[in-house]
């Protein structure tokens, strides 16, 4: 069996949800579990986060999986209905839809099949991805309200483009545009993603939508989840499977990009981009060998990485090597690989063994 293992810390997930509630008192929490729970496992995360008020998924297929797993909370399909059969399936599974364009409103208008669906009306206040222009809010809201296929409790939502920069004027502007467009409308409001839960308390509304924070990951530049009281929910580890003595001037790995500056020990760990360890992790990216820091050297290959063991003289074959998680923030690894922590946890592949841990 390959040694690569993603340990999912269930209690960290639960504590992170408590921390979100502490930061956004009075708001209900939608736990965003798209992309297989940011790579932690959809059903597993939903079970650990059974205290959430709703789950946010990217597509209907994830809603099907959650209902099959017995999840009874509200489930919001964040990109909404799209194809002809979607509304019937969403009704069957009691999934909420997000409406962000006219074709979706037309589909709801043409739908006469029975029980009303719950709708989240999405406004584009400045991100320019999904949503109606703010000046159309009242017209679309009124049209939806009049449809028998739409439940009367419509939630008004928007998404921030840059809320991880805590003093960015764009977020202030997005909040103002949102408040102006929805004022006087009778509906709950949802604006905040993780970064806004942390940095924009005035935007918490009735529903916050927490993703990264629940997994203990920060998107705020230079910060890690722990800086805000969150614990990592995934520890990715493997084993050291070889230690080689390499002479000064010899080079290591594909494309021979790294040259030994002295006679030294080079470790080989059983993980690579085939497991989701980023190929772009540069020489100098840290790992922990039995708790002691060592650095990746040379190119990351599909199944293996090579390590500078000069700082870990006691390292032995069979030692556990932690790639990220407890003791080694995924944000640090992401910074060395030119990406964000989210992409790394989402990218752990199927050949990695997932193990649940209560702590
Ligand atoms: C992914 C997503 C979120 C969660 O974002 P985080 O930054 O991970 O908290 C919230 N709302 C929407 C619409 C999303 O797509």
């Amino acid at each position: 069996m390959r040694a690569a293992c993603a340990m999912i810390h269930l209690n960290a997930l639960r504590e992170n949800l408590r921390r979100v509630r502490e930061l956004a008192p009075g708001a209900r929490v939608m736990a965003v579990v798209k992309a297989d729970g940011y790579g932690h496992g959809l059903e597993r995360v939903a079970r650990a986060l059974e205290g959430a008020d709703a789950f946010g998924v990217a597509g209907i297929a994830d809603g099907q999986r959650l209902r099959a797993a017995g999840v009874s909370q509200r489930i919001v399909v964040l990109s909404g209905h799209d194809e002809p059969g979607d509304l019937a399936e969403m009704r069957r599974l009691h999934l909420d839809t997000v409406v962000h364009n006219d074709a979706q409103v037309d589909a709801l208008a043409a739908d006469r099949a029975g029980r009303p669906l719950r709708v989240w009306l999405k406004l584009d206040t400045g991100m320019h991805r999904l949503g109606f222009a703010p000046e159309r809010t009242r017209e679309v809201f009124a049209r939806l309200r009049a449809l028998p296929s739409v439940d009367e409790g419509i939630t008004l939502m928007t998404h921030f483009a840059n809320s991880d920069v805590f003093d960015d004027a764009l977020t202030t502007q997005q909040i103002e545009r949102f408040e102006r467009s929805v004022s006087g409308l009778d509906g709950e409001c949802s604006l905040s993603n993780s970064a806004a839960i942390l940095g924009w308390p005035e935007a918490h509304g009735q529903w916050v939508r927490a993703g990264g924070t629940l997994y203990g990951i920060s998107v705020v530049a230079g910060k890690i989840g722990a800086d805000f009281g969150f614990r990592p929910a995934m520890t990715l580890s493997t084993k050291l499977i070889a230690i080689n003595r390499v002479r000064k001037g010899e080079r290591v790995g594909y494309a021979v990009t790294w040259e030994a500056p002295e006679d030294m020990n080079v470790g080989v760990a059983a993980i690579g981009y085939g497991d989701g360890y980023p190929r772009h992790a540069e020489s100098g990216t840290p790992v922990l060998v039995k708790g002691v820091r060592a650095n990746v050297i040379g190119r990351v290959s599909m199944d293996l990485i090579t390590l500078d063991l000069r700082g870990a003289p006691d390292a032995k074959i069979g030692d556990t090597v932690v790639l990220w998680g407890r003791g080694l923030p995924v944000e640090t690894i992401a910074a060395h690989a030119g990406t964000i922590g989210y992409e790394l946890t989402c990218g752990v592949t199927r050949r990695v063994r997932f193990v649940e841990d209560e702590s």
Side-chain angles (χ1 to χ4, degrees), residues 79-100:
S79 41
H81 55 282
D82 176 33
E83 298 189 344
D86 286 356
L87 289 175
E89 186 63 359
M90 291 171 113
R91 181 173 285 116
R92 183 178 80 80
L93 293 167
H94 294 254
L95 307 180
D96 294 14
T97 188
V98 170
V99 171
H100 55 82

Side-chain angles (χ1 to χ4, degrees), residues 3 8 12 33 70 95 112 243 261 306 311 342:
I8 307 302
V33 292
L95 307 180
R112 322 207 163 273
I243 298 178
T306 37
Y342 289 24

Side-chain angles (χ1 to χ4, degrees), residues 124-296:
D124 173 15
T125 54
M127 179 156 182
H128 305 310
R129 203 175 55 175
L130 296 182
F132 287 95
E135 53 274 20
R136 295 201 50 209
T137 307
R138 275 151 220 285
E139 163 219 330
V140 179
F141 185 86
R143 189 167 174 223
L144 287 169
R145 251 306 177 68
L147 295 177
S149 56
V150 174
D151 185 277
E152 62 178 4
I154 297 172
T155 308
L156 297 142
M157 72 182 279
T158 193
H159 196 52
F160 293 128
N162 206 30
S163 53
D164 48 310
V165 178
F166 291 162
D167 56 1
D168 185 8
L170 174 62
T171 305
T172 308
Q173 193 180 56
Q174 286 196 266
I175 295 170
E176 283 167 5
R177 281 181 185 157
F178 183 81
E179 285 178 348
R180 219 174 312 124
S181 4
V182 307
S183 83
L185 296 182
D186 162 28
E188 295 186 323
C189 296
S190 178
L191 302 85
S192 294
N193 55 1
S194 289
I197 291 167
L198 300 174
W200 299 87
E202 66 270 44
H204 286 170
Q206 283 78 43
W207 282 94
V208 294
R209 306 187 305 271
T213 45
L214 292 174
Y215 308 98
I217 313 171
S218 158
V219 283
V220 178
K223 299 274 190 197
I224 60 171
D227 294 332
F228 303 102
F230 294 95
R231 296 175 51 203
M234 174 193 290
T235 298
L236 182 68
S237 69
T238 187
K239 278 186 182 156
L240 202 59
I241 60 167
I243 298 178
N244 301 313
R245 190 72 189 163
V246 174
R247 299 268 164 227
K248 177 178 177 175
E250 291 291 319
R251 290 177 297 167
V252 175
Y254 284 124
V256 289
T257 58
W258 197 86
E259 184 175 315
E262 56 186 312
D263 292 358
M264 59 183 282
N265 282 352
V266 170
V268 182
I271 197 147
Y273 62 81
D275 305 289
Y277 190 81
R279 186 171 171 280
H280 291 292
E282 60 195 4
S283 287
T285 304
V287 304
L288 298 176
V289 180
K290 226 176 170 181
V292 177
R293 183 181 160 147
N295 292 334
V296 171

